[in-house]
Amino acid sequence: MTDRAVERALGLLAGMALDAALGDPRRAHPVAMFGQAAAALERRIYADSKRRGTVYAGTLVAGAAAVGALAQRLAPGRTARVALTAVATWTVLGGTSLGREGRAMAAALRAGDLAAARARLPHLCGRDPRHLDARELARATVESVAENTGDAVVAPLVWGAVAGVPGLLAYRAVNTLDAMVGHRNERYGRFGWASARLDDAANWVPARLTALLTAACAPVAGGSGRRSRAVLRRDGAAHPSPNAGRCEAAFAGALGVRLGGANVYGGRVERRPHLGDGPPPEIADIPRAVRLSAAVGWAAAVCCAAGAAAWAGLRQAVRGRSAVR
């Protein structure tokens, strides 16, 4: 195992610990700063064109990766590189904030405060909360916790393991751009096409790893790994998203609930297929989903740290054989 592999593995685990202890940075969040830069670039180059949108996404993602590569190159030593990886990991992870939002939603629903719960839902997802009752708000929360476990926790760890700090920053750039412009509406249907497809590609492996780890961690939430795997196999591909469906199906099976149904986004109704065989989620299922999400996050951190070390060892072995030849 190389020193750099140890540094990367330690940095990922330390970053996960920072996120667990602190949540998202309170001030001058780098993701918010990136979003401001992306919005400024959009104002300059926007056109109803896939080509312009591809240039937009490519410029911003490459820029984020370049910043990460430069920072990694300039880090003066082993301790600095571990610290840099830890801070970058902490910056791009969203697991603790996701759990806080889920618990806050559960508390508002238990108190019968639908107005507070509806006001909180945009922190989790983009659907219109104005006419949702307690059960629909619970479903939206569980679905959002499931999906975001993949793209706000597992995916950054995977890309950090594969490519270090550049991978962490590039992935968060991809995910942020998808949230900003990856919408199928009149303005972004063409301009946001590249951002949406890039996000699909970047999350393909992480989403499936999330689903497998969800099944493995299901007992943490009082669920069944066998049922999680069965629902994943049967329903995972039914969702219109190639990635979110895997995460949501695995969570539905693990929690013994049924997800999916009609969702409203800006006045547009989308009917999602049902995932799972149980009843719709109730308020009590939200804390279970949060516990499961946290367990999956830590399992992913351990797997990705081990994977980073194993990948570096494999590369070192291949180089050694090439040198002998």
Side-chain angles (χ1 to χ4, degrees):
M1 189 189 304
T2 66
D3 287 345
R4 291 297 175 89
V6 174
E7 293 164 8
R8 188 175 296 182
L10 290 175
L12 290 173
L13 292 172
M16 186 73 181
L18 282 172
D19 180 64
L22 303 175
D24 285 339
R26 298 289 185 180
R27 296 179 180 177
H29 198 305
V31 175
M33 295 167 66
F34 172 83
Q36 293 167 5
L41 182 62
E42 180 189 344
R43 288 192 293 270
R44 291 182 65 87
I45 73 168
Y46 173 83
D48 186 18
S49 159
K50 285 186 178 181
R51 181 179 177 183
R52 285 285 187 97
T54 300
V55 170
Y56 170 79
T59 299
L60 289 165
V61 174
V67 168
L70 180 62
Q72 196 166 260
R73 188 181 188 90
L74 294 178
R78 177 183 300 176
T79 301
R81 286 191 292 270
V82 171
L84 174 65
T85 303
V87 170
T89 303
W90 168 49
T91 297
V92 303
L93 287 178
T96 295
S97 295
L98 176 64
R100 287 174 181 168
E101 290 298 331
R103 287 190 292 271
M105 177 67 79
L109 291 174
R110 279 196 296 267
D113 192 345
L114 283 181
R118 288 167 179 159
R120 192 136 213 128
L121 188 63
H123 296 208
L124 287 164
C125 64
R127 69 188 68 173
D128 187 346
R130 287 176 295 176
H131 304 295
L132 298 184
D133 61 16
R135 178 161 286 186
E136 282 297 300
L137 287 164
R139 175 173 73 85
T141 302
V142 171
E143 289 174 354
S144 297
V145 168
E147 180 179 358
N148 285 304
T149 299
D151 61 24
V153 183
V154 178
L157 292 167
V158 168
W159 285 104
V162 170
V165 176
L168 288 163
L169 300 191
Y171 172 75
R172 182 48 63 199
V174 168
N175 191 245
T176 302
L177 291 176
D178 180 60
M180 292 179 66
V181 304
H183 310 295
R184 295 174 182 170
N185 58 24
E186 185 175 351
R187 177 173 175 82
Y188 293 125
R190 293 172 62 82
F191 184 78
W193 174 86
S195 295
R197 298 292 76 76
L198 196 55
D199 185 73
D200 286 343
N203 279 291
W204 199 93
V205 169
R208 285 146 184 82
L209 176 60
T210 301
L212 294 175
L213 292 176
T214 298
C217 296
V220 170
S224 164
R226 179 180 297 178
R227 183 175 56 202
S228 180
R229 290 188 294 272
V231 174
L232 171 64
R233 286 193 298 269
R234 190 192 68 195
D235 298 340
H239 196 281
S241 166
N243 300 317
R246 268 65 182 190
C247 302
E248 291 182 22
F251 264 71
L255 298 173
V257 299
R258 185 179 75 244
L259 301 178
N263 299 337
V264 179
Y265 300 92
R268 176 173 48 88
V269 179
E270 291 188 10
R271 299 192 179 279
R272 301 287 175 82
H274 286 127
L275 311 175
D277 300 311
E282 297 181 354
I283 299 169
D285 293 311
I286 297 174
R288 295 176 63 218
V290 169
R291 287 199 304 274
L292 181 56
S293 175
V296 169
W298 277 108
V302 171
C303 288
C304 289
W311 174 246
L314 178 62
R315 289 174 61 189
Q316 188 177 40
V318 170
R319 288 172 183 170
R321 289 177 185 175
S322 299
V324 170
R325 290 177 185 173

